[in-house]
Amino acid sequence: MYYVDQEQIDLRLSFIPTLLQACRELQEESETLEFGDGSLLFHLAQERTLVLAIETVTDVGSLLIDAFMMRDASSYEDIVDILIGENVIGEEVARVLTELVQMRRFLTQDYTEISRTGLHPLIRSLPEALGRFAADVPVFISKERI
């Protein structure tokens, strides 16, 4: 039997509805923008939402990798690759999550170079992918524990 830190996984998965709400509110805000730019606060909110989504996905992924003794991840993208290879998530969710985690360095280290115009495309695709991720993880855990 594996040790699954279910409490930490559940805690992080329970944060996903907050991220989904943030994405919805950002989308709604973007529909009211004149000329499609938005305020600095609007753009910083998008960036923070993306960073929190990255951290949520990679934290849960790392907990799963540790719990089920999967191979060690060498990068954030590798976490997503392992999750798809172990059948935790499907191809479509993996595509969005890979695109998401590839932004981590840019959002956390190269933030001075970000062009802050309009709604980031991932804000539109994240809700479905994160929702699927939140549903897929408990299913995987229950199958593995059998």
Side-chain angles (χ1 to χ4, degrees):
M1 183 57 118
Y2 306 107
Y3 172 70
V4 179
D5 194 340
Q6 193 68 53
E7 182 180 331
Q8 288 301 311
I9 291 171
D10 290 345
L11 181 64
R12 282 157 176 76
L13 291 178
S14 72
F15 187 69
I16 288 179
T18 302
L19 295 170
L20 301 180
Q21 180 64 29
C23 288
R24 281 192 293 274
E25 289 181 21
L26 288 163
Q27 287 179 60
E28 290 170 9
E29 177 74 19
S30 75
E31 292 168 5
T32 66
L33 298 177
E34 275 191 55
F35 310 112
D37 281 341
S39 68
L40 177 60
L41 187 58
F42 171 76
H43 293 291
L44 294 176
Q46 287 187 88
E47 292 165 27
R48 183 64 176 157
T49 299
L50 293 170
V51 167
L52 290 172
I54 292 165
E55 295 305 314
T56 300
V57 167
T58 57
D59 285 353
V60 170
S62 293
L63 288 164
L64 290 174
I65 289 166
D66 290 346
F68 296 101
M69 294 180 265
M70 301 172 191
R71 69 177 176 83
D72 289 334
S74 61
S75 67
Y76 289 94
E77 292 92 343
D78 201 29
I79 291 171
V80 177
D81 290 343
I82 292 170
L83 295 180
I84 195 168
E86 297 292 331
N87 298 313
V88 178
I89 58 175
E91 292 282 342
E92 189 59 31
V93 171
R95 184 189 59 74
V96 175
L97 297 185
T98 298
E99 185 178 348
L100 175 69
V101 298
Q102 287 173 340
M103 294 183 57
R104 186 179 186 280
R105 180 183 171 128
F106 187 65
L107 290 168
T108 60
Q109 295 178 16
D110 301 330
Y111 51 85
T112 58
E113 299 172 28
I114 295 174
S115 172
R116 295 184 171 95
T117 57
L119 184 69
H120 192 284
L122 273 176
I123 296 295
R124 292 193 193 283
S125 57
L126 263 182
E128 184 175 339
L130 286 177
R132 256 325 310 146
F133 178 76
D136 290 345
V137 168
V139 170
F140 172 80
I141 292 171
S142 67
K143 281 196 281 189
E144 289 295 310
R145 283 188 163 169
I146 294 176

